[in-house]
Amino acid sequence: MAVTGQHAAHHTIVIYNVEGLDASTRTPLHLTRTTVELGAIVAEGLAAAEVPWDACHRETHGESLVVLVPPEYPTAPLVEVLPQAVAHAVHTHNPDSHGLSGTRLRLVVHTSEDPVNDYAPMSGSLSMALRLLDAVPSTTTLADSSAVVALIVSGSVFDEVVRHSAVLDPAAFQQAEVMAEEGRREVAWIGLSGHSYLSDPAVPDLRLAKSTPTDTAPDKRVSIATGTNGTLEAVEPGAARLRGVTITGGVHGTGSGVTIGGATGDYLSIGTPSPPAGKPRDPSPSGMDRTHVASTHAPAHPVTNPSTEAKATAQIHGGVAATGNSAAVGIVHGVVHLHAASSPSALVVPRQLPAAPGLFAGRMVELARLDRALSAAPDGSDTAVRGPASADTSVSGATVVVSAIGGAGGIGKTWLALAWAYRHLDRFPDGQLFVDLRGFSPAGEPMAPGAAVRGFLNAFGVNASRIPTDLDAQAALYRSLVAGRRMLIVLDNAATSQQVVPLLPGSPTCTVLITSRHRLASLIDRYGARHLSLGVLTHEESRSLFATRLGTVRVAAEPFALDELVNLCGSYPLALTITARQAATRPAIPLAEIAAELRELGLEMLDHDTDSAASLPAVLSWSLRHLTEQQRTVFALLGIAPGPDIDMLAAASLTSLSVTRLRRVLGTLEDAFLIDLHTHGRYAMHDLVRAYAVTTARDNLAEPLRSAALERIMDFYLHTAHTADRLLDPHAALARPRPPVPGIKLHTLSDASAAIVWLESVHTHLLATQRIAAGIRRHHVVWHLARNLTSFHQRRGHLDADLATWNAALDAAAHLPEPAARILAHRYVGRAHARLEQYDAAIEHLHQAAARAEHNHDTTQQAATHLDLARVWGQRRDDRTALDHARRALELYEGTDNPTRQALARNAVGWFLAHLGEYDTAREFCRAALTLLSLHHEPQVEAAALDSLGWIDHQTGNHDSAIHHYHQAVTQYHSLDNAYEAANSLDNLGHPYVALSTPARVRDLGWSGGREYGCGHQVIMNGL
């Protein structure tokens, strides 16, 4: 059986009901005869669908007959064959049947996966099928037409069978909503008899082949279908196919006749009716698209063949349906005449899509989002399967579906649009329009809307003399041509919404896909465009692109080099394709060498001297053409700003613009997809876009402008960091940086917690600022950044970063006039080495610091350096030498007016005495430190003294007291947000708990969690 469609692997429920069966005019005998004859007709229809009547379970439900078809029989014939066979049988029986005279049927096809017993359907699916049968749209659709059968299918049947059928046209079905159980809404699809859409001449007209005429009059049952090369075929059962009829124009139906014709070839005329007496013949205008005519028993007028005499009349029984390039006629009694065409105008079907992208990879998520955006119409219907406007699309509120793909240049917008279009060509049988609006291209100015509209009119074959000169009139003509047609319009590379609006169709049967480097705000606001922002590919999609171009063998041979190529390209589609092209054209060069070249040359390797479309810098440059000079300047300055992103105040300092004005400029750059707005108000660029911004700044901005901008942004970060450091360590010796340059706007930090949050968010930026400052010899910025990051680095355990910043500060100190700058730099470099357990280097730098401090008679720095040396020797387990340095530090501090540093030195002496076993003396020194701190509060030193007392108590067996002191120390460190030292004290806290045989308590306290910081116990000595 030559039918198509997806076969359901479950039971199919078929229900039919006779329209008006319970009418009062019907006698009981009449009703009985109707039921009997109807059963015979349905049995005949099932036989035509190759489903045995006896194989089906049957039962009545009120005035409806339910037929449950076993799962071994496919669903497709029950939709493609059964309704038409039943309709034909009703046509045949109606004129002389006692029971079926004037009868019309509603036929439901629904599938069920519910469990069955003896072929009895469960209540859920049966209830749904009955609801489909009795729904208001089902009854009114049949009542308002002259068809004899209304086919109602559930949404699942439509998706499985109708949508994929070569026999049926989904456009002939109307969508309707049916109330299901519990207030749910289900979708149903309704089609009427007389709508036959055979699209393949190899598919026989089964509903006719299974039928037998009931009279002996000349009978031509004609099915007209699209044949090969655009020809039509009139199929007669048992006879040869009639060929040579070509549809090139519109379809027109009047009365019981249909005319299909075009400007060239032949057209087919069947049963053109005579006008009533005294009235002129209704003209048959050519070029009308999608006309639906349905009638029965209408008299026909004889039609004369131009080449022969009129031989007969033709009478049509059943409906006449015409859509686009196909028509179906019920039964024609008489002769079918072929006529030469006169002057109907041709209806052109444009196919303007460029070639599909050859290297397309990935984008499955984006394609799915386009499917959802372009299939869900505002009224809730499915634009992928909606029919012609003249049939069913006059739905209140239905609008054209528009989707706008936005993204930076070279991100793959056009590729995505074309890939989606080629995947869904079947949705747009009436053609596809495409135009490059040249919004961003090397060709110069964007295309004027009028030029684009005229191009579309030319595509439809409109004579130049008929094209109006006014843009509004041109757009109106264009909208008239696409009205009611299922078309895809791709508007590529749009510059503005104003360029696009005249090209938007008014018909909801059309779908519009737009690509642009701008976020087309008014299209989203006024026309409800669905916006899809396109980003870079995923890592796996990027690898897949290389594999598509280079072959799986080559990429599999160098997986690490492939990953590096992907990372160097930042998964940016154009960069990936350029690199893939370079690798493909140099097959002998290993991917590792290409990666090394890309690493060295960067953006230069992605350039091209002669082909701008193959150059990433050139493609990105086109995005700047629509920007003002100020906007281009801000874009370039953002490229040279330190750090991976920037917030509003930092950007205001960089650009010297007011926040209000800057917000507008950044909004424009964001709409142009040159920057992205991330969380917490931070703006970022893709690495390659940023590299282009850096090039733009270097080539297009004057050096004084760049230098001034860098000075402002460096002072912004330096002075905000200084404010943060004073909140974290208010008792540290003040080292104030130079006053900031004019024009910067600092952050307001309220407390130490706010300082920590800000420092964590910009830590990378501060390190980058120091590197830039070193490069342009702003030595005081380099040094002060190291100084103001020290407390934060120690609290967060950023040991490597601490060493790196102080090494840079030591180099910068050689260029600063203050002797203390080099002393402190040596000290802090030594301390950083000590924390990394690099003791020899630490001692060397600390001795240099001590010598310079003594040479400059700097008592405070001498004392601080001795405390640092005490720490290092203690870490080397030489507690005696460590104690000597601690006592020397205390002696020096007692000669100064700095009680908190005296307390720090006392605690250090107590700590090393304890390690030498002198616990009582050690406890006295540590308690003395706490007493001094009670008058001069310094929580960091206080926490260190509490930790020392906890250690002494534990060593002397006072475990409860040790736990108490450790708890106090941990609480103090937590209040300071000092995770590094809190971890040390937690580490120590576990020992007295173990000694008290409470290991569970140790686990609860997270003793082992302290080790995650990679640190053992260290004494806090933060003196200067």
Side-chain angles (χ1 to χ4, degrees):
M1 178 171 55
V3 293
T4 61
Q6 296 180 3
H7 295 171
H10 36 54
H11 291 76
T12 304
I13 302 173
V14 177
I15 307 179
Y16 60 86
N17 181 287
V18 181
E19 188 80 6
L21 182 61
D22 61 343
S24 59
T25 57
R26 296 180 184 267
T27 65
L29 178 60
H30 187 277
L31 295 177
T32 301
R33 288 180 175 177
T34 300
T35 304
V36 172
E37 292 180 15
L38 185 59
I41 286 175
V42 174
E44 180 182 343
L46 288 172
E50 298 187 355
V51 177
W53 178 255
D54 293 336
C56 304
H57 173 85
R58 304 179 300 278
E59 61 186 57
T60 58
H61 281 260
E63 295 146 9
S64 305
L65 178 62
V66 177
V67 179
L68 181 62
V69 179
E72 58 264 31
Y73 295 97
T75 304
L78 300 173
V79 178
E80 297 172 330
V81 177
L82 174 63
Q84 304 297 347
V86 169
H88 176 66
V90 171
H91 274 306
T92 304
H93 289 78
N94 253 344
D96 54 2
S97 170
H98 296 288
L100 293 180
S101 178
T103 294
R104 297 193 292 166
L105 305 178
R106 279 173 284 130
L107 181 67
V108 169
V109 179
H110 179 45
T111 55
S112 169
E113 293 181 338
D114 294 339
V116 297
N117 297 311
D118 298 327
Y119 289 115
M122 295 297 287
S123 61
S125 297
L126 177 59
S127 175
M128 184 62 210
L130 290 170
R131 286 175 182 270
L132 294 176
L133 182 74
D134 295 327
V136 172
S138 302
T139 57
T140 57
T141 298
L142 183 59
D144 293 342
S145 75
S146 57
V148 296
V149 174
L151 170 64
I152 304 105
V153 298
S154 59
S156 60
V157 173
F158 186 90
D159 290 335
E160 293 175 15
V161 178
V162 179
R163 191 188 296 273
H164 306 282
S165 176
V167 176
L168 302 173
D169 185 351
F173 285 74
Q174 301 179 40
Q175 188 184 52
E177 283 190 348
V178 177
M179 293 299 298
E181 295 178 349
E182 300 178 353
R184 293 184 294 106
R185 294 180 179 269
E186 296 287 346
V187 173
W189 296 88
I190 305 170
L192 299 174
S193 62
H195 291 61
S196 177
Y197 294 89
L198 292 171
S199 59
D200 186 347
V203 179
D205 191 354
L206 295 177
R207 61 187 175 84
L208 301 179
K210 295 289 181 180
S211 306
T212 303
T214 59
D215 53 37
T216 57
D219 183 15
K220 293 185 182 290
R221 299 175 179 84
V222 181
S223 173
I224 305 171
T226 303
T228 58
N229 301 321
T231 62
L232 291 182
E233 298 180 354
V235 183
E236 301 177 78
R241 299 177 186 270
L242 305 179
R243 298 181 179 273
V245 183
T246 304
I247 292 182
T248 57
V251 176
H252 181 61
T254 60
S256 61
V258 61
T259 300
I260 306 171
T264 61
D266 296 328
Y267 71 89
L268 176 64
S269 172
I270 304 176
T272 305
S274 299
K279 291 191 177 182
R281 179 181 297 277
D282 181 28
S284 299
S286 62
M288 295 181 62
D289 187 27
R290 291 193 174 90
T291 301
H292 170 248
V293 184
S295 64
T296 58
H297 302 292
H301 178 71
V303 180
T304 302
N305 190 317
S307 59
T308 62
E309 296 182 322
K311 295 182 178 179
T313 62
Q315 187 178 34
I316 297 175
H317 293 281
V320 176
T323 65
N325 63 351
S326 62
V329 184
I331 304 172
V332 181
H333 297 278
V335 179
V336 176
H337 300 283
L338 300 183
H339 296 261
S342 53
S343 60
S345 60
L347 189 62
V348 178
V349 179
R351 310 287 187 188
Q352 291 190 330
L353 290 181
L359 272 181
F360 190 81
R363 298 294 195 197
M364 292 299 104
V365 173
E366 291 83 357
L367 287 170
R369 288 184 61 188
L370 280 178
D371 280 341
R372 292 193 295 271
L374 295 175
S375 295
D379 61 358
S381 60
D382 187 349
T383 63
V385 295
R386 284 190 298 174
S390 59
D392 297 320
T393 55
S394 57
V395 181
S396 176
T399 59
V400 64
V401 179
V402 181
S403 185
I405 304 173
I411 206 69
K413 301 179 293 297
T414 303
W415 276 20
L416 177 64
L418 290 176
W420 185 89
Y422 275 101
R423 280 166 167 78
H424 300 287
L425 285 180
D426 60 311
R427 297 189 183 184
F428 312 106
D430 298 328
Q432 307 90 39
L433 296 173
F434 179 94
V435 62
D436 179 0
L437 295 173
R438 299 200 301 269
F440 307 88
S441 71
E445 292 300 317
M447 179 183 291
V453 173
R454 289 192 297 274
F456 284 168
L457 295 177
N458 291 334
F460 282 112
V462 178
N463 191 291
S465 62
R466 292 186 54 224
I467 298 178
T469 57
D470 179 67
L471 175 59
D472 291 339
Q474 293 172 356
L477 177 58
Y478 157 69
R479 288 193 295 271
S480 297
L481 288 173
V482 300
R485 305 183 72 183
R486 288 191 292 160
M487 297 191 68
L488 173 67
I489 295 98
V490 180
L491 308 177
D492 187 42
N493 200 11
T496 64
S497 297
Q498 291 73 20
Q499 189 185 25
V500 167
V501 168
L503 305 175
L504 295 180
S507 173
T509 59
C510 294
T511 295
V512 181
L513 193 52
I514 304 168
T515 71
S516 179
R517 298 190 190 188
H518 280 169
R519 189 173 284 110
L520 305 175
S522 64
L523 281 183
I524 300 172
D525 297 342
R526 295 175 55 195
Y527 297 94
R530 279 81 161 175
H531 179 73
L532 173 61
S533 290
L534 201 58
V536 299
L537 298 175
T538 66
H539 190 83
E540 286 306 313
E541 288 173 337
S542 302
R543 289 175 59 94
S544 176
L545 188 148
F546 275 112
T548 301
R549 183 63 184 268
L550 304 180
T552 56
V553 174
R554 187 176 180 189
V555 299
E558 295 185 78
F560 298 110
L562 178 64
D563 286 336
E564 185 176 11
L565 285 174
V566 170
N567 292 332
L568 289 170
C569 291
S571 293
Y572 202 95
L574 182 55
L576 294 169
T577 57
I578 292 172
T579 306
R581 181 246 302 160
Q582 293 173 339
T585 55
R586 296 186 290 175
I589 304 299
L591 296 182
E593 290 188 23
I594 295 174
E597 186 179 7
L598 181 57
R599 191 186 321 113
E600 178 182 354
L601 298 178
L603 198 62
E604 181 182 345
M605 187 174 170
L606 303 175
D607 201 355
H608 199 285
D609 293 334
T610 59
D611 188 349
S612 58
S615 165
L616 181 59
V619 169
L620 292 175
S621 71
W622 304 336
S623 294
L624 304 187
R625 292 181 179 176
H626 298 275
L627 302 180
T628 65
E629 182 178 354
Q630 185 181 68
Q631 291 163 353
R632 288 193 293 269
T633 298
V634 171
F635 169 74
L637 290 178
L638 291 174
I640 64 174
D645 55 20
I646 194 167
D647 67 9
M648 187 64 70
L649 286 181
S653 298
L654 174 74
T655 62
S656 195
L657 294 177
S658 69
V659 171
T660 301
R661 177 58 191 157
L662 178 63
R663 182 173 285 110
R664 293 175 182 169
V665 173
L666 294 178
T668 299
L669 297 179
E670 184 191 1
D671 285 343
F673 297 98
L674 291 170
I675 62 174
D676 298 312
L677 177 60
H678 293 175
T679 56
H680 307 299
R682 307 197 68 84
Y683 293 88
M685 293 176 171
H686 187 277
D687 288 345
L688 293 177
V689 177
R690 183 175 188 139
Y692 175 69
V694 171
T695 300
T696 303
R698 182 194 63 205
D699 296 343
N700 299 329
L701 299 185
E703 193 280 331
L705 190 154
R706 299 197 310 270
S707 297
L710 284 175
E711 286 184 9
R712 289 191 299 269
I713 191 69
M714 285 189 281
D715 278 3
F716 165 81
Y717 282 123
L718 170 59
H719 283 269
T720 309
H722 177 70
T723 300
D725 185 60
R726 296 308 299 169
L727 290 168
L728 295 182
D729 195 1
H731 299 285
L734 181 62
R736 190 185 302 277
R738 297 176 189 176
V741 297
I744 70 169
K745 301 168 180 63
L746 299 180
H747 275 289
T748 301
L749 303 175
S750 57
D751 53 28
S753 296
I756 286 287
V757 170
W758 183 81
L759 286 167
E760 286 182 333
S761 69
V762 298
H763 184 229
T764 303
H765 305 70
L766 295 171
L767 299 180
T769 299
Q770 191 192 47
R771 288 193 295 271
I772 293 174
I776 61 175
R777 299 182 179 278
R778 294 198 78 201
H779 303 298
H780 74 284
V781 173
V782 175
W783 192 92
H784 280 281
L785 276 173
R787 174 66 191 86
N788 288 295
L789 280 170
T790 299
S791 294
F792 173 72
H793 283 163
Q794 291 178 356
R795 292 186 183 208
R796 285 293 181 261
H798 296 315
L799 306 184
D800 291 318
D802 193 45
L803 178 59
T805 55
W806 274 112
N807 273 328
L810 182 59
D811 292 338
H815 303 279
L816 297 175
E818 301 89 351
R822 298 190 74 176
I823 297 172
L824 279 169
H826 277 296
R827 271 194 60 217
Y828 280 96
V829 169
R831 290 174 59 162
H833 278 297
R835 287 190 177 89
L836 292 169
E837 300 182 1
Q838 299 165 0
Y839 301 123
D840 291 339
I843 291 171
E844 179 183 349
H845 280 284
L846 290 173
H847 278 303
Q848 290 190 54
R852 289 182 178 276
E854 186 176 358
H855 176 75
N856 288 281
H857 308 291
D858 190 333
T859 302
T860 300
Q861 289 304 317
Q862 287 184 67
T865 304
H866 279 292
L867 271 183
D868 291 335
L869 284 167
R871 165 187 285 182
V872 175
W873 286 109
Q875 289 175 299
R876 299 189 73 167
R877 301 294 189 266
D878 188 343
D879 296 318
R880 181 62 62 186
T881 302
L883 178 62
D884 291 341
H885 283 291
R887 280 176 166 160
R888 178 58 180 156
L890 177 59
E891 179 183 342
L892 290 168
Y893 272 133
E894 286 178 339
T896 68
D897 186 18
N898 195 332
T900 60
R901 298 304 161 186
Q902 293 172 20
L904 183 66
R906 288 182 183 279
N907 178 62
V909 171
W911 173 259
F912 291 115
L913 283 170
H915 275 71
L916 291 170
E918 300 180 31
Y919 298 116
D920 293 336
T921 307
R923 186 179 287 108
E924 291 177 7
F925 271 94
C926 294
R927 286 176 175 171
L930 284 177
T931 300
L932 194 58
L933 290 170
S934 67
L935 301 175
H936 306 277
H937 183 63
E938 215 291 29
Q940 185 85 4
V941 181
E942 184 178 348
L946 289 168
D947 183 271
S948 297
L949 287 171
W951 194 86
I952 294 169
D953 288 336
H954 171 59
Q955 297 300 318
T956 55
N958 298 318
H959 301 304
D960 290 328
S961 180
I963 290 171
H964 173 70
H965 283 122
Y966 279 138
H967 268 299
Q968 287 183 300
V970 170
T971 300
Q972 195 79 283
Y973 282 133
H974 278 228
S975 70
L976 296 170
D977 207 7
N978 191 334
Y980 186 80
E981 294 301 341
N984 282 325
S985 293
L986 279 172
D987 191 4
N988 293 329
L989 178 57
H991 295 292
Y993 274 115
V994 171
L996 293 173
S997 300
T998 54
R1001 181 59 176 160
V1002 176
R1003 289 192 297 272
D1004 292 341
L1005 287 168
W1007 174 37
S1008 59
R1011 300 184 181 275
E1012 294 179 6
Y1013 292 89
C1015 49
H1017 181 80
Q1018 296 181 10
V1019 182
I1020 303 300
M1021 303 178 188
N1022 284 330
L1024 290 178

